[in-house]
Amino acid sequence: MRKCYKCGQKATVYLPQHRIAFCKEHYIEWYLKRVEETIKEFRMFGKGDRVLVAVSGGKDSLSLWDALYRLGYDADGFYINLGIGEYSKRSQLACEKFANQRGLVLHVFELEKAVASVPALKELENRPACSFCGQLKRYYTNKFAKERGYKVVATGHNLDDETAVLLSNVLSWQMDYLSRQSPVLSEGEGFVRRVKPLVKFSEKENALYAFLAKIEYVEEECPFAEGASSIEHKKLLSLLEEKSPGTKLRFYMDFLRRMRPMLKAEQVALRPCSLCGEPTTGEVCSVCRLKERVAKASLSSSPSS
Ligand code: SF4
Ligand code: ZN
Ligand code: ZN
């Protein structure tokens, strides 16, 4: 029987990459301490800063919001309803319930009202939903945070997400992407600071926290997530992790400490979009261009009078 490293009672959790076991109470304590240490290590934000947590209703983002709440940070939630049928309804409900139970503020943004639903856009654009969905989420989260005076946007990206992206960037030597891969993206030029306080936790560790902290999250994945290449990279890395626990954390942290400082980010000239004012490289930003295509499509499909 494994014993808790802290109190010696029967352990509930064993973390092979850290070779450490905890009971429920001390796992929660360890998790919270590690979140706080990560926030401080990467100078993400302080106790007086207003933080907007981008929540999806899943285990990672709700664990993040819960941890920030318990640690005493000033963190509100931001949920974007993507209009993906029952999945979006259940996810919104999970976020609302979470916020109500803790007396927290949740802002809900409806993509269908601002542009169109993700399924409708997929049909119109005829390309993978994630290619525009990620961009739309970033655009509206950033815009909302700026308008409402939030200092920083926090997302629930975990170690599995980050190492899958890292592997894919390394496999194709995407030097520019590599130079910008970081748990903190600085503010400036129309962008609010973006941080990822859960980068040192695996998906499993977040699921464990959510379970032990009694967070009611949505287990089902977005129906459009299937087939994304990141899933293959995640599987590959998990095989390596199984054989040699700690591989993912080493791969990611060594990249940040040893490789990234040697890379120089390409300077891209940004200017305000002539239609919405958000930062872009061209005259009109990609979200405004997408909105124009949506308007055109709905005009051509409406019956002529
Ligand atoms: Fe959007 Fe779903 Fe793709 Fe995530 S998996 S970016 S929610 S379409
Ligand atoms: Zn214990
Ligand atoms: Zn624009």
Side-chain angles (χ1 to χ4, degrees):
M1 180 189 84
R2 282 207 168 93
K3 287 183 179 170
C4 170
Y5 165 77
K6 254 323 204 8
C7 66
Q9 302 290 311
K10 187 173 176 280
T12 323
V13 174
Y14 177 65
L15 308 174
Q17 71 277 40
H18 303 290
R19 295 206 194 116
I20 209 168
F22 290 113
C23 67
K24 176 189 159 192
E25 184 195 335
H26 288 118
Y27 177 72
I28 292 179
E29 186 186 281
W30 173 83
Y31 184 94
L32 293 174
K33 196 163 162 252
R34 200 165 161 81
V35 173
E36 181 127 64
E37 280 168 1
T38 309
I39 292 169
K40 287 193 175 141
E41 180 182 345
F42 296 103
R43 299 204 182 116
M44 293 180 168
F45 47 84
K47 285 272 155 75
D49 295 329
R50 288 183 71 216
V51 182
L52 188 66
V53 188
V55 287
S56 66
K59 59 186 176 315
D60 300 300
S61 55
L62 288 185
S63 290
L64 171 63
W65 198 9
D66 186 75
L68 296 184
Y69 160 69
R70 290 193 196 211
L71 289 165
Y73 287 101
D74 183 2
D76 295 346
F78 184 63
Y79 174 78
I80 300 184
N81 187 311
L82 303 168
I84 310 178
E86 288 303 308
Y87 166 73
S88 288
K89 280 185 200 151
R90 278 195 284 275
S91 308
Q92 182 171 336
L93 219 64
C95 295
E96 285 170 346
K97 201 168 170 196
F98 177 96
N100 286 340
Q101 282 168 345
R102 292 159 182 81
L104 292 169
V105 174
L106 173 74
H107 305 283
V108 175
F109 179 88
E110 289 186 37
L111 189 65
E112 193 159 6
K113 285 190 185 151
V115 188
S117 70
V118 164
L121 287 171
K122 188 176 172 355
E123 186 134 343
L124 174 74
E125 292 283 294
N126 199 18
R127 58 177 165 132
C130 304
S131 69
F132 55 80
C133 179
Q135 196 177 38
L136 285 164
K137 285 194 286 192
R138 268 193 306 278
Y139 174 94
Y140 283 109
T141 313
N142 184 61
K143 198 166 183 288
F144 186 87
K146 261 194 309 187
E147 286 166 0
R148 300 295 186 97
Y150 287 95
K151 165 120 183 166
V152 50
V153 167
T155 58
H157 290 94
N158 59 44
L159 185 63
D160 297 69
D161 301 323
E162 293 304 296
T163 48
V165 172
L166 181 56
L167 180 62
S168 129
N169 285 340
V170 164
L171 287 175
S172 52
W173 293 117
Q174 294 277 5
M175 301 309 278
D176 198 37
Y177 287 159
L178 283 168
S179 69
R180 278 183 274 133
Q181 196 174 346
S182 165
V184 181
L185 289 175
S186 308
E187 61 271 48
E189 295 197 273
F191 292 107
V192 168
R193 189 186 311 162
R194 295 185 74 88
V195 300
K196 303 170 182 173
L198 300 187
V199 281
K200 288 195 186 178
F201 296 99
S202 69
E203 215 166 292
K204 265 188 205 154
E205 287 169 342
N206 287 342
L208 264 172
Y209 177 79
F211 175 71
L212 296 174
K214 295 197 168 61
I215 296 169
E216 293 172 46
Y217 62 91
V218 172
E219 281 187 51
E220 72 188 276
E221 292 267 340
C222 166
F224 294 110
E226 256 178 67
S229 62
S230 61
I231 294 181
E232 292 306 314
H233 293 136
K234 279 186 183 176
K235 277 190 203 155
L236 210 73
L237 285 159
S238 293
L239 270 175
L240 293 171
E241 180 75 24
E242 226 172 85
K243 289 213 159 56
S244 173
T247 300
K248 285 183 203 174
L249 193 58
R250 240 184 350 260
F251 180 44
Y252 184 63
M253 291 312 290
D254 281 354
F255 163 72
L256 290 182
R257 286 184 192 130
R258 299 164 67 177
M259 183 70 195
R260 201 175 161 269
M262 296 199 285
L263 303 171
K264 275 210 178 82
E266 222 174 81
Q267 290 301 323
V268 204
L270 293 172
R271 60 186 194 179
C273 163
S274 59
L275 294 179
C276 71
E278 287 302 296
T280 177
T281 48
E283 168 78 21
V284 176
C285 80
S286 53
V287 172
C288 285
R289 276 187 276 131
L290 178 62
K291 281 168 85 170
E292 282 175 348
R293 291 197 291 277
V294 171
K296 224 174 172 184
S298 53
L299 267 183
S300 62
S301 65
S302 60
S304 51
S305 52

